[in-house]
Amino acid sequence: MAGIAGPEIERLIQLLARLPGLGPRSARRAALHLIRKREELLGPLADAMRVARERIVTCSVCGNIDTKNPCSLCSDPRRDDSTLVVVETVGDLWALERASVLNARYHVLGGALSPLDGVGPDDLNIAALIGRVAAGGVKEVILAVNATVDGQTTAHYITELLSPYGAKCTRLAHGVPVGGELDYLDEGTLAAAMKSRTDL
Ligand code: ZN
């Protein structure tokens, strides 16, 4: 379809349409909204994007993203060095931080092992993880990976690799979500919940 709005605005719409969760229609709506709110929204957004492009780096210690290296989490002296939470992605790290249950250190793998997709150990940030644990001081490694086949394969692989270093490896519980009704759960989740039942 030929551009209705002129090539520059069409380009803005096309770029917005590449964002996750935005189709062509909502991209058009978002573009229009940004253009209408040029001063309050479009300007600050453009500035924030420029900062992101120029200053955001991957932390060389943990694989998180930040504007400094080591990242804010790695350089925070109040964090507990003895607990290391291993996640697949930065999005998972953010999710756990939002839950704010632990004041631990993190390690971002950059994905999960997946023989079918050709993702092997060398494609992930695993060697650096082993290095961190081997350096000493880590008592527990929490494998907060996804409850998928790939996630669990990755957890087992890392547990094997870490076995010589004396750190305890744990994983997240699988089961009934908070507020969940049994009737709505799939059989796999129910079976996992039943297996990992705890004392009251
Ligand atoms: Zn870091």
Side-chain angles (χ1 to χ4, degrees):
M1 191 179 75
I4 308 164
E8 291 83 5
I9 295 174
E10 281 301 323
R11 176 155 171 74
L12 176 63
I13 294 166
Q14 279 167 15
L15 289 170
L16 287 170
R18 289 194 210 163
L19 293 174
L22 279 194
R25 258 167 182 278
S26 32
R28 207 162 277 280
R29 211 174 301 140
L32 206 52
H33 186 73
L34 285 169
I35 293 163
R36 281 205 195 104
K37 305 260 175 190
R38 207 178 310 182
E39 294 303 319
E40 314 96 286
L41 199 54
L42 186 56
L45 180 67
D47 292 342
M49 285 178 148
R50 195 173 308 116
V51 169
R53 191 177 74 168
E54 287 166 5
R55 296 191 22 221
I56 287 184
V57 287
T58 300
C59 175
S60 57
V61 178
C62 74
N64 187 18
I65 52 170
D66 204 336
T67 50
K68 58 180 186 174
N69 182 21
C71 71
S72 309
L73 295 179
C74 285
S75 48
D76 183 352
R78 291 162 300 180
R79 295 250 159 191
D80 173 13
D81 286 318
S82 70
T83 310
L84 194 54
V85 184
V86 176
V87 292
E88 291 184 22
T89 65
V90 172
D92 298 336
L93 186 162
W94 288 353
L96 287 170
E97 277 295 290
R98 277 202 306 275
S100 62
V101 275
L102 283 178
N103 193 36
R105 302 281 180 196
Y106 284 95
H107 194 88
V108 183
L109 294 173
L113 293 174
S114 178
L116 284 179
D117 296 323
V119 182
D122 294 341
D123 300 310
L124 302 177
N125 194 15
I126 291 179
L129 169 64
I130 309 302
R132 289 179 79 181
V133 177
V138 179
K139 292 199 185 81
E140 180 178 1
V141 177
I142 303 172
L143 294 153
V145 290
N146 290 336
T148 56
V149 172
D150 288 347
Q152 297 310 301
T153 305
T154 309
H156 285 293
Y157 180 80
I158 290 173
T159 304
E160 288 281 306
L161 286 182
L162 291 180
S163 61
Y165 303 107
K168 180 171 74 165
C169 286
T170 55
R171 68 164 173 83
L172 300 184
H174 297 165
V176 182
V178 174
E181 294 180 34
L182 298 193
D183 198 18
Y184 289 96
L185 297 181
D186 63 281
E187 292 80 4
T189 304
L190 270 177
M194 196 54 96
K195 265 190 221 154
S196 49
R197 65 189 182 277
T198 54
D199 291 334
L200 276 174

